Amino acid sequence: MTQPAVVNGDLIMDGETLDVLDPSTGNLLDRTIRGTFEHIDAAVDAARAATEGWRHTPYARRSQILRRVAELLRRDREQLALLESRDTGKPLTQARADADVASRYFEFYANVMEAYFGHSPPANDDIIAYTRHVPFGVTGHIIPWNYPLQIGCRTLAPAIAVGNCAVVKPAENAPLSVIKIAQLALEAGVPPGVINVVPGLGSEAGAALAGHKGIDHLSFTGSVSVGASVAKAAADNVVPVALELGGKSPNIVFPDADLEQALPVIVKSMIQNAGQTCSAGSRLLVQEDARDAVISGLAQLLADLSIGAGPDDPDLGPLISAKQRDHVTHMVARAVDAGFTQVVGPGNVTVPDKGFFFPPTLLDDVDPAAEIACQEAFGPVVAATTFSTVDDAISLANGTDYGLIAAVWTKNLDTAHLLAEEVHAGQVYLNTYGAGGGVEHAFGGVKKSGYGREKGVEALDAFSQTKSVVLKITR
Ligand code: NAD
């Protein structure tokens, strides 16, 4: 069966289709409709028509409906996790965690929206002023393939909580769970037109949504180049846009760190979703006195990882596509050609023949200016560089165009807080690493990692506009 667009509560099946492949085998998994400008146009119209009814729905009722979406996501957790694992190739345990987080987004925003107050700023005696949070109207959401279930809910839940109606364009490589979310939302009582989903290609449905004149706000998660083009399209319509882009996030390890605690977390930060995580720990900055212990400990952990099809629940699954695997392969080959030491990687680790697998890869002695240390590989690859002083660590951490997250591993509070202050990143973790989690914590980048904040209470600010009302009292 072809997976539909969901527009105004209807399942739309007409027109051409797109194949969706199973990354664990390379075989056909499913098909979706290939969304066109007309589908996007119909979805924007449906969202527009739903806006008045939805924004005037009492807060308590909207909150109840969001909570019901959370319940249904929890009810269908196993089914959604399996679907996500098949569609993205990610290990089942990680897909289950994504399903839990998806549900938590709706639950969290169902709760916080009811305590999302305006202000009454101080003013002269004859003035009473207050602010209200007003929805934008129709919000456009462009979602990547790496965490469709999580990122779909991350942007949808706060957007509709504050009264917007949404049009979502999932990624062509992994659209299935986002289409399911729209269907579950209808079952939960979200009125038709409040959440519309149109699958399709980025250059067609995606570009149509980004440039549509009926959109009032855009939320984009994906690559820097496409993000920039979406922002240009939004600028032409004078529409605000939130960009959640890539990263080259460092784990920064000092000799006093508890390595028994740190190393498994560093490995997880690097291989989660096969490294196809915007906030992956793809750089390792290690103080020279800790280098031998860190590199040999990581090599051992990486060599012990199980590798296989996502639904079989290994430690490491495949990459999303042959194109992505080729990209990572070439990038690692260039790093090895440049003379960096491959401690673990292609040649020393066996991966399944079928599907789009790439081995866990640890490169040491990497020049911090090298491509592999500065650009996203978006695979299970970490580039290690040593440093000597705290100042060196800060300057290396800030040495790329990105600034999404960073982790500092030390028992020294001064060092930890100094780096938390000085490292340019939207999130800094001290003795832990938070890729993917943290519904409650504001998330987003600096520099080329993007702008705007999602997650946390801050997402309600992002998806609403403040209106000031000022009354003059005549005595
Ligand atoms: P991508 O930019 O190719 O695609 C993202 C989405 O944009 C997809 O839905 C795609 O169809 C759509 N798209 C493509 N071309 C478009 C166009 N011209 N106009 C409008 N939409 C278009 O990125 P990707 O390959 O899907 O995802 C990987 C990238 O996303 C990585 O760089 C990663 O770091 C980043 N990412 C960031 C976050 C974050 O929260 N910061 C999360 C996940 C992924």
Side-chain angles (χ1 to χ4, degrees), residues 173-367:
N173 285 330
L176 303 179
S177 59
V178 177
I179 298 171
K180 267 283 178 276
I181 294 166
Q183 291 167 283
L184 278 178
L186 285 169
E187 185 187 340
V190 174
V194 173
I195 296 179
N196 306 275
V197 173
V198 180
L201 296 176
S203 56
E204 297 174 356
L209 181 58
H212 200 288
K213 298 207 178 313
I215 291 289
D216 302 308
H217 178 282
L218 269 165
S219 157
F220 173 85
T221 305
S223 60
V224 175
S225 58
V226 177
S229 77
V230 166
K232 282 179 197 145
D236 282 344
N237 292 327
V238 197
V239 160
V241 53
L243 295 180
E244 298 282 4
L245 308 176
K248 198 70 195 173
S249 302
N251 273 290
I252 307 165
V253 187
F254 288 86
D256 63 349
D258 177 346
L259 293 189
E260 216 172 301
Q261 179 203 350
L263 297 188
V265 179
I266 292 172
V267 167
K268 191 171 166 228
S269 79
M270 154 198 175
I271 62 151
Q272 182 172 319
N273 196 26
Q276 302 164 116
T277 302
C278 50
S279 48
S282 56
R283 283 194 297 156
L284 175 65
L285 305 178
V286 53
Q287 207 281 340
E288 54 206 11
D289 295 337
R291 175 184 174 245
D292 291 351
V294 169
I295 297 295
S296 63
L298 288 178
Q300 185 61 53
L301 290 170
L302 293 174
D304 289 345
L305 294 175
S306 60
I307 304 173
D312 293 341
D313 207 18
D315 297 316
L316 178 65
L319 298 174
I320 189 74
S321 63
K323 185 174 160 216
Q324 186 62 22
R325 183 195 51 203
D326 293 348
H327 163 74
V328 180
T329 305
H330 293 138
M331 211 163 157
V332 169
R334 287 194 292 274
V336 172
D337 284 350
F340 310 135
T341 310
Q342 181 187 296
V343 182
V344 181
N348 352 94
V349 181
T350 311
V351 296
D353 293 336
K354 285 185 82 185
F356 310 129
F357 290 90
F358 192 83
T361 300
L362 169 57
L363 297 161
D364 194 12
D365 302 318
V366 174
D367 176 346

Side-chain angles (χ1 to χ4, degrees), residues 33 86 193 196 232 254 330 350 370 387 396 405 419 456:
I33 73 143
R86 288 206 177 110
N196 306 275
K232 282 179 197 145
F254 288 86
H330 293 138
T350 311
F387 65 86
L396 285 171
I405 82 171
L419 268 83

Side-chain angles (χ1 to χ4, degrees), residues 143 145-146 154 169 172 202 206 221-223 245-246 278 376 378:
I143 310 293
W145 43 259
N146 54 354
R154 173 174 106 193
K169 209 297 283 173
E172 48 273 48
T221 305
S223 60
L245 308 176
C278 50
E376 280 188 307
F378 233 49

